[in-house]
Amino acid sequence: MRRKVIVGNWKMNKDIHETANLITELRERMKDFRNEVDVVICPPFTSLVIAKALIKDSPIKLGAQNMSQYDEGAYTGEISAKMLTVAGCEYVILGHSERRQYFNETDELINAKIKKALKAGLTPIVCIGETLEEREAGITDKIIITQVKGVLHELTATEVEKLLIAYEPVWAIGTGKNATPDQANQVHKLIRKQVGQMYSWAIAEKLIIQYGGSMNAQNASSLLSQSDIDGGLIGGASLKTVAFMTIIQTGVEAYL
Ligand code: PEP
């Protein structure tokens, strides 16, 4: 059985003081947690170092929200994979729809970033998902297959075994509209089938595919109990201790 992975994407929220408060509250509530699910927080870059110190000896792991496709040099404003690992990150979100939409990230660029992240020993959380127009045009499957092929281009089986995919329908992110559990599960199955065809069924079966898009304390149970939904990438609800803890607890129950 695949372990659930619950990831909080804080986006451009929480300065270092607010980061400290949120982590302190989370740790307090996670005192009796026995590691039945993987919990990752992805604060902004400026909070990574303090977050790393604050999660010490806790079950919480650290991730970043983006990174450069380059190793180092004259790329003003960018952050490299090595900088993230040295700061204590184990994960990095790549290809989030907000990066695709506002910063013109393409499957090709995301593919280059995935390769860099893997070389540095980071676990990429690779985001894919269709827009509302694409869903309404009935081309969700085609879009998803194209994205899976694009982001995994020329990755070896060993590399694919090290990453996670997050299915995030763009129309559900930050909108309060979530995909129905069945809608989401159908797309997760499609992603798994596609990875199975490109690599092997053994790899596809082990692949963690998270759902993201307005997951909250109320809908987490119906989403996380689906056969092919292996966790959540959570934005808004990860900024609230009680809501995030409820989702984590739901992940634990789905695993037991
Ligand atoms: C996200 O940031 O990936 C996300 C799914 O956001 P929200 O949960 O707020 O929709």
Side-chain angles (χ1 to χ4, degrees), residues 37-99:
V37 296
D38 290 329
V39 177
V40 183
I41 53 167
C42 301
F45 291 134
T46 47
S47 287
L48 290 176
V49 171
I50 190 166
K52 184 64 185 175
L54 289 164
I55 60 174
K56 192 167 185 284
D57 299 326
S58 87
I60 307 171
K61 294 175 185 160
L62 191 64
Q65 299 172 20
N66 180 34
M67 54 159 250
S68 171
Q69 70 275 35
Y70 301 116
D71 288 326
E72 63 179 351
Y75 302 104
T76 303
E78 291 293 296
I79 300 281
S80 73
K82 178 167 169 266
M83 290 169 185
L84 296 182
T85 56
V86 173
C89 291
E90 293 177 62
Y91 293 79
V92 61
I93 300 171
L94 294 175
H96 191 282
S97 71
E98 287 152 15
R99 301 288 322 166

Side-chain angles (χ1 to χ4, degrees), residues 183-245:
Q183 265 175 339
N185 205 36
Q186 291 312 317
V187 179
H188 283 229
K189 284 186 171 169
L190 175 73
I191 295 167
R192 206 176 297 289
K193 187 169 154 216
Q194 182 59 30
V195 171
Q197 277 169 11
M198 290 168 69
Y199 294 92
S200 70
W201 187 241
I203 287 177
E205 262 193 326
K206 275 190 257 155
L207 178 70
I208 299 290
I209 308 176
Q210 301 174 293
Y211 168 79
S214 299
M215 190 186 278
N216 57 36
Q218 288 71 41
N219 61 27
S221 173
S222 56
L223 287 160
L224 293 175
S225 57
Q226 294 296 311
S227 63
D228 285 73
I229 301 186
D230 309 319
L233 179 54
I234 298 127
S238 72
L239 300 171
K240 298 175 206 126
T241 317
V242 176
F244 194 51
M245 274 313 302

